[in-house]
């Protein structure tokens, strides 16, 4: 039994089962509340997605349940020349209803659009989709899932006939070859990676192949790393099929009985010899042959993510990987099949309800007349608009050119996450009306909103979500709504009912008062479809726990694996081979832009940091955005670690610090995608990314572009650190970031958190800017601080000391002591010995003090230098875990611990 109702533990505390709101693994959590406030979170040992484990992000979710970054009441401005003001729900909703109605009447229903999110619950998604397509009668409803999973969807539909991932997490335990392509699973899906580590430990003979241009933590764990050149995946997959064909590794019986199109594909892959593929991909011929043999022997499970999806050839990449499963019969059995790892917690649920511009409820397609008729009947309307709506990139292009006048953005941040950001920001500036529905007030999109609707968030919401393995979990609210926030579905329903009155529509299409009513209607749209969930209900999910679909009426459990009978969701029941050839990336290197830029995730941050960016602990592993570059490229450009460089291409530029990395090959660089204008002076990595899209999935190429890198000379430097108890200080500092050529701002610490600001400029900035900053820091005349000024050398230092502890540091011109002063702020009293040296130009701490270095294990606050010191005494991984406890809680740091043991343990063999 997996009861999701609140469990009373004593009069003031309750425990409620829910799920994590980050990636698509769908980990179960148990939320503890006291006096209706969230105070703790633990992994749910009964949830089949994680069995109690949580990563660093999930384990700190309760720390995000604070109000200082929340949007708590509606806001409205009727002119772009005036600030938004707090208003009532009635005033804000009536205003948006009037504006939408006027726009639709004057310009037609396609003049408005909805841009949604894979973080909405299934019930939220369903209402928005119905609002757009049934009431307003526009298919202009798309989602940020277009940016992450639409190529995976297209790949499944192209080959297998439906968007139905056929595998499950349990297959990790049964596979003999795990083939990971375009995914740094260790960072992006840590709990799945823990399961991979367990499976490898139980079966050392299991082979792990990782396809990734970078030598990531995941790649370093592999038996074979295929470090292909960016974008060459299709050539590799065709090459693997070529080897399998000639080595007799194909299941010809399966091909004959259950597939079609193989003969044409066979003619294509004949050309993809190991020599040709090695030349295209930049890898060894022997490795290609070895990977093909391991894959063909099976059972083989493939896992893939954004490295395949975020490409102008993403559909081809997905489909040619699935070809390998079909050709070898590695599908529909334990340990075998293609498994797309979902990027967001409910991107699957959004796909199920048809919450995209080309889809309808129940995995139906807009361009299918029979599907439109079925949905029209279910919704009791005459028909559904026949033309697909604008997809994400198309939508913002249409806002920019005036075709779309009003856009409603829900639970996502396009001013950070879209490609070619300067174009998107111009679109938002040009929109006649921008409605933003969000739980947070700290996103880049916030400044463009004319109306803001405050929404509930994790811990407050109720409904259902579907994870990567098709498993639906029922969520209950653990805490009441904050401020005047409403549930996303409630906001959409209220708007829809008001718009119906305005348009004279009767009876209402939106009679919902509970999420269960919405779920039951959604359930009926799945009857007879590949995702049939007519056997599910809220009571069943509450008593029997999360369930996989399909779960038909009369079933006692869902299906763990699909296509076990070799019958696929196509007209003739046969899977279709995709006949694709290798094509280059959208951007290619040139004399002007000689370097590849790859983007991706970090271990402890997520998306645009609107949630993780509020937790100081999650900055301790990596506290600022850094461009990673191969040592040979650094030397060629006379660069060293921490130099500031300008990276640029035709779309934009970004000033950022650089670091040497052996994870990237020569001519390649890597930049995390998380940081944007809230945390730096610059738009972030996505400003440089191309807006070109896959012709089928319409997904943009967010993983790769090409750039030029130039060293900057910014002699004026400043480091600021200030203790803080909430997010008010960082919010006040943010407007100052644009005054510097280079600036980043974030948090650091654990219980005693601080704001950390780093800035550099080509000359000393206006004195008023520094004075304004000092005022915010409380470092004004009369404050209890140490002070040093040398005007000739342009050096100015302030150290704020309160109650015998350092609570603030501001260093200008000479910043060598910043790292150890940060440690002093975190760890203890400001002794007389420390006071002597605090203003000195020392890069290492005074006698008796040790520098900790960066934090490797966030769970137990174990630093890099502590780990290295223990390794140098001969510790192996088990000794490290026993002595320091690092890697014994969430396990996210284990790959890095293994690397440190290899590098520093005298007993490592």
């Amino acid at each position: 039994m997996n009861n999701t109702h609140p469990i009373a533990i004593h009069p003031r505390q309750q425990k409620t089962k829910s799920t994590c709101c980050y990636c698509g693994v769908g980990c179960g959590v148990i939320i503890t509340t006291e006096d209706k406030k969230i105070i703790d979170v633990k992994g749910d040992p009964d949830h089949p997605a994680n069995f109690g484990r949580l990563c660093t992000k999930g384990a700190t979710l309760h720390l995000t349940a604070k109000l200082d970054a929340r949007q708590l009441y509606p806001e409205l401005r009727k002119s772009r020349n005036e600030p938004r003001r707090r208003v009532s729900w009635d005033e804000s909703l009536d205003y948006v209803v009037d504006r939408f109605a006027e726009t639709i009447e004057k310009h037609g229903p396609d003049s408005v659009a909805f841009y949604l999110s894979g973080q909405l619950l299934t019930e939220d998604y369903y209402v928005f989709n119905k609002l757009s397509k049934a009431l307003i009668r526009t298919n202009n409803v798309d989602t940020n899932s277009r940016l992450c999973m639409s190529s995976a969807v297209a790949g499944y539909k192209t080959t297998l006939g439906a968007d139905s991932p056929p595998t499950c997490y349990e297959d990790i335990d049964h596979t003999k070859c795990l083939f990971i392509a375009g995914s740094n699973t260790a960072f992006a899906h840590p709990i799945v990676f823990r399961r991979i580590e367990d499976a490898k430990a139980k079966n050392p003979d299991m082979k792990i192949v990782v396809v990734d241009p970078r030598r990531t933590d995941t790649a370093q764990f592999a038996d074979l790393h295929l470090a292909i050149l960016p974008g060459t995946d299709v050539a590799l997959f065709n090459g693997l099929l070529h080897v399998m064909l000639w080595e007799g590794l194909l299941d010809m019986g399966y091909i004959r009985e259950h597939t079609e199109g193989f003969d044409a594909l066979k003619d294509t892959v004949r050309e993809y010899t190991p020599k040709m593929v090695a030349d295209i991909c930049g890898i060894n011929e022997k490795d290609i042959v070895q990977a093909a043999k391991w894959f063909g022997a099976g059972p083989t499970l493939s896992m893939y993510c954004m490295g395949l999806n975020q490409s102008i050839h993403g559909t081809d990449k997905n489909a040619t990987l699935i070809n390998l499963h079909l050709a070898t019969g590695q599908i529909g059995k334990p340990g075998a099949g293609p498994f797309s790892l979902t990027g967001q917690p409910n991107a699957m649920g959004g796909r199920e309800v048809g919450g995209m511009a080309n889809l309808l409820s129940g995995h139906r397609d807009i361009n299918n007349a029979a599907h439109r008729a079925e949905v029209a009947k279910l919704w009791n309307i005459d028909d559904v608009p026949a033309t697909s709506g604008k997809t994400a990139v198309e939508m913002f292009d249409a806002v920019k050119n005036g075709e779309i006048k009003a856009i409603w953005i829900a639970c996502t941040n396009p001013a950070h996450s879209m490609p070619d950001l300067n174009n998107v920001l111009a679109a938002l500036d040009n929109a006649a009306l921008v409605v933003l529905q969000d739980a947070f007030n700290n996103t880049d999109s916030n400044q463009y909103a004319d109306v803001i609707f405050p929404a509930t968030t994790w811990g407050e919401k109720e409904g259902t979500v579907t994870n990567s393995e098709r498993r639906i979990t029922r969520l209950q609210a653990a805490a009441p709504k904050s401020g005047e926030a409403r549930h996303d579905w409630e906001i959409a329903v209220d708007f829809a009912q008001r718009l119906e009155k305005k348009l004279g529509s009767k009876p209402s299409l939106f009679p919902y008062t509970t999420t269960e009513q919405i779920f039951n209607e959604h359930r009926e749209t799945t009857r007879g479809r590949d995702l049939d969930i007519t056997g599910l209900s809220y009571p069943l999910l509450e008593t029997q726990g999360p369930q996989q679909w399909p779960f038909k009426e009369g079933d006692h459990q869902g299906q763990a694996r699909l296509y076990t009978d070799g019958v696929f969701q196509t007209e003739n029941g046969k899977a279709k081979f995709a006949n694709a050839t290798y094509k280059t990336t959208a951007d290619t290197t040139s004399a002007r832009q000689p370097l590849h830029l790859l983007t991706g995730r970090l271990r402890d941050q997520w998306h645009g940091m609107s949630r993780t960016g509020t937790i100081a602990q999650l900055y301790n592993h990596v506290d600022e955005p850094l461009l990673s570059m191969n040592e040979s490229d650094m030397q060629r450009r006379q660069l060293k670690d921490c130099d500031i460089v300008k990276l640029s291409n035709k779309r934009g530029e970004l000033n950022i610090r650089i670091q040497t990395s052996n994870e990237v090959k020569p001519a390649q660089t890597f930049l995390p995608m998380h940081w944007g204008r809230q945390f730096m002076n610059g738009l972030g990595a996505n400003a440089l990314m191309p807006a070109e899209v896959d012709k089928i999935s319409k997904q943009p190429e967010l993983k790769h572009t090409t750039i030029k890198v130039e060293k900057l000379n910014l002699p004026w430097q400043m480091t600021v650190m200030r203790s803080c108890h909430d997010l008010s200080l960082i919010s006040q500092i943010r407007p100052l970031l644009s005054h510097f050529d280079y600036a980043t701002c974030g948090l650091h610490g654990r219980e005693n958190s601080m704001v950390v600001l780093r800035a550099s400029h080509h000359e000393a900035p206006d004195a008023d800017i520094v004075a304004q900053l000092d005022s915010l820091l409380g470092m004004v005349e009369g404050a209890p601080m140490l002070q040093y000024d040398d005007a000739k050398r342009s050096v100015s230092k302030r150290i704020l000391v309160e109650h015998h502890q350092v609570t603030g540091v501001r260093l200008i011109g000479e910043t060598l002591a910043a790292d150890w002063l940060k440690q002093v702020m975190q760890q203890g009293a400001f002794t007389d010995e420390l006071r002597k040296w605090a203003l000195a130009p020392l890069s290492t701490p005074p006698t008796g003090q040790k520098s900790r270095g960066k934090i490797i294990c966030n769970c137990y606050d174990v630093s890099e230098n502590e780990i290295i010191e223990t390794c140098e005494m001969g510790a192996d991984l088990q000794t490290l875990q026993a002595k320091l406890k690092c890697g014994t809680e969430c396990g996210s740091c284990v790959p890095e611990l293994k690397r440190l043991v290899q590098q520093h343990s005298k007993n490592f063999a």
Side-chain angles (χ1 to χ4, degrees), residues 100-114 131-141 385 389-390 403-406 499 503:
F100 264 63
E102 292 166 5
T103 302
I104 292 166
E105 182 180 10
K106 186 174 181 179
H107 302 285
D110 288 337
S111 63
V112 302
F114 296 88
L131 164 62
S132 178
K133 294 168 183 174
L135 178 59
I136 295 177
R137 298 187 53 74
T138 180
N139 291 325
N140 284 344
V141 53
K390 302 288 187 186
E403 185 180 349
I404 292 176
K405 310 292 183 184
L499 185 60
L503 301 177

Side-chain angles (χ1 to χ4, degrees), residues 26 91 195 215 243 306 319 335 359 387 500 520 674 676:
E91 183 177 354
R195 194 157 183 167
R215 191 171 175 265
V243 174
M306 302 309 155
L359 301 178
T387 304
E500 284 177 322
N520 291 343
H674 307 290

Side-chain angles (χ1 to χ4, degrees), residues 246-297:
W246 294 108
E247 293 284 340
L249 295 171
L250 304 188
D251 188 336
M252 300 309 296
Y254 191 92
I255 290 171
R256 283 193 301 272
E257 293 295 322
H258 302 294
T259 72
E260 61 183 17
F262 181 71
D263 288 341
L265 176 60
K266 184 168 64 174
D267 290 340
T268 296
V269 301
R270 276 200 180 104
E271 298 179 15
Y272 286 81
T273 64
K275 174 65 169 67
M276 173 184 170
V277 172
D279 289 344
I280 293 173
C281 297
I283 56 176
N284 190 289
E285 288 183 56
K286 291 181 180 179
D287 289 343
I288 296 169
V289 174
Q290 183 63 78
K293 289 181 176 179
W294 285 346
F295 195 112

